[in-house]
């Protein structure tokens, strides 16, 4: 999962560099959402918290 | 003023890249990053993506206030996510007597520095939005900005390789990583892996 998110981030930069700005935006949002989902997984896995 | 905005964008990228290189240097010295540390690196790279995006747009056309708002808005969102992660990790270790995770650098642990970085990204992005251009403009220093964005891409690729080495073909990283699991997955390390140290606290 971590590797895939870094791959999304690298692809975001590549899309920006090549001028594919709409693709870069989609990849940015995908990476952000995946990162937050992974954070949720680790947050509940390492130390259960409730808000 | 457009030169000032271009320099500020490049400085923002280089500052965060410097922090990422520092974290990478700590990893090369044997301080394995935990899952939350890796998440904070991702957030830092997404913060860098904002000004990089602005510079990439300026290579092909003039940029206006809408471009600035989109790019720095993206940085602020990523920084808020990163500050949440680093803040949580700081709170885990905030109890008196807790040694924290990993070795401190310049007096603070890496996750505390990460919180400072994310707060600074939000501050600088907000300051940048105070000096938005009134009309579309072409940013100078195209060659330098290509080099700066190239550095950011190289650091992102370096982190991709490092985390693949650490994670291997597993779904997620262990809570307290002590080795590069890809080497074991590929059968490149024959001796048994050392047991996880009980003295090292979980992240």
């Amino acid at each position: 999962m971590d590797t895939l998110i870094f791959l999304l981030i690298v692809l975001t930069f590549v899309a920006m560099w090549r001028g594919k700005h709409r693709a870069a935006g989609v990849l940015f949002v995908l990476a952000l959402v995946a990162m937050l989902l992974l954070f949720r997984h680790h947050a509940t896995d390492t130390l259960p918290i409730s808000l | 003023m457009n030169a000032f905005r271009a320099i500020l964008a490049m400085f923002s990228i280089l500052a965060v890249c410097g922090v990422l290189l520092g974290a990478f240097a700590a990893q090369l010295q044997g301080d394995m990053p935990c899952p939350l540390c890796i998440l904070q690196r991702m957030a830092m790279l997404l913060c860098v993506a904002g000004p990089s995006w602005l510079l990439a747009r300026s290579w092909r056309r003039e940029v206006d206030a809408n471009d600035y708002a989109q790019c720095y808005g993206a940085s602020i969102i990523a920084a808020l996510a990163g500050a949440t992660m680093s803040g949580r990790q700081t709170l885990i270790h905030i109890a008196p007597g807790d040694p924290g995770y990993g070795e401190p650098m310049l007096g603070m642990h890496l996750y505390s520095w990460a919180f400072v970085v994310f707060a600074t990204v939000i501050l600088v992005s907000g300051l940048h939005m105070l000096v938005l251009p009134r009309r579309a403009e072409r940013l100078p220093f195209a060659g330098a900005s290509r080099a700066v964005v190239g550095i950011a891409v190289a650091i992102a690729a370096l982190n991709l390789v490092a985390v693949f080495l650490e994670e291997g073909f597993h779904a997620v990283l262990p809570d307290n990583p002590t080795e590069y699991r890809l080497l074991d997955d590929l059968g490149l390390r024959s001796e048994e892996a050392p047991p996880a140290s009980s003295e090292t606290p979980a992240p």
Side-chain angles (χ1 to χ4, degrees):
Chain A
M1 186 78 171
D2 300 74
T3 309
L4 285 176
I5 298 173
F6 272 109
L7 187 61
L8 281 174
I9 293 171
V10 171
L11 289 175
T12 304
F13 278 102
V14 171
M16 284 175 194
W17 189 284
R18 295 173 61 87
K20 313 284 185 193
H21 297 299
R22 190 176 293 272
V26 172
L27 287 164
F28 179 91
V29 172
L30 280 176
L32 190 69
V33 171
M35 183 181 76
L36 289 171
L37 287 174
L38 188 61
F39 172 60
R40 182 176 175 275
H41 167 81
H42 284 305
T44 52
D45 185 40
T46 54
L47 183 63
I49 53 172
S50 58
L51 297 174
Chain B
M1 198 64 181
N2 59 346
F4 171 74
R5 283 188 275 267
I7 290 170
L8 193 58
M10 286 190 276
F11 177 76
S12 305
I13 296 170
L14 288 176
V16 180
C17 284
V19 175
L20 283 166
L21 279 178
F24 205 74
Q27 182 175 350
L28 289 179
Q29 290 170 358
D31 197 358
M32 295 287 283
C34 66
L36 287 175
C37 306
I38 293 292
L39 281 166
Q40 288 157 47
R41 289 188 195 184
M42 291 172 192
M44 282 187 198
L45 282 170
L46 289 177
C47 290
V48 166
S52 300
W53 205 355
L54 178 74
L55 293 175
R57 288 179 188 198
S58 75
W59 298 338
R60 291 176 174 80
R61 60 174 171 82
E62 293 184 332
V63 289
D64 57 16
N66 189 42
D67 293 307
Y68 280 93
Q70 283 180 354
C71 296
Y72 285 102
S75 274
I76 290 173
I77 292 170
L80 279 174
T84 306
M85 296 162 190
S86 56
R88 183 183 185 279
Q89 194 170 8
T90 306
L91 289 175
I92 288 174
H93 297 294
I94 205 167
D98 189 311
Y101 183 83
E103 292 297 319
M105 187 179 279
L106 300 175
M108 288 204 295
H109 287 278
L110 289 176
Y111 43 84
S112 305
W113 279 118
F115 190 84
V116 173
V117 168
F118 292 125
T120 308
V121 167
I122 293 171
L123 179 70
V124 172
S125 300
L127 288 174
H128 213 132
M129 287 187 181
L130 292 177
V131 290
L132 290 179
R134 292 185 183 277
R135 59 181 68 85
E137 63 184 13
R138 186 164 286 280
L139 292 182
F141 315 123
S145 66
R146 279 181 188 272
V148 169
V149 176
I151 290 170
V153 176
I155 290 175
L158 204 62
N159 274 285
L160 170 65
V161 174
V163 83
F164 184 46
L165 272 172
E166 191 177 346
E167 190 173 51
F169 295 105
H170 301 262
V172 291
L173 289 165
D175 289 341
N176 190 14
T178 53
E179 60 184 357
Y180 291 104
R181 296 202 291 184
L182 182 66
L183 302 179
D184 292 327
D185 290 346
L186 296 177
L188 296 176
R189 187 160 40 200
S190 56
E191 71 270 22
E192 286 190 12
S197 169
S198 59
E199 293 177 0
T200 309

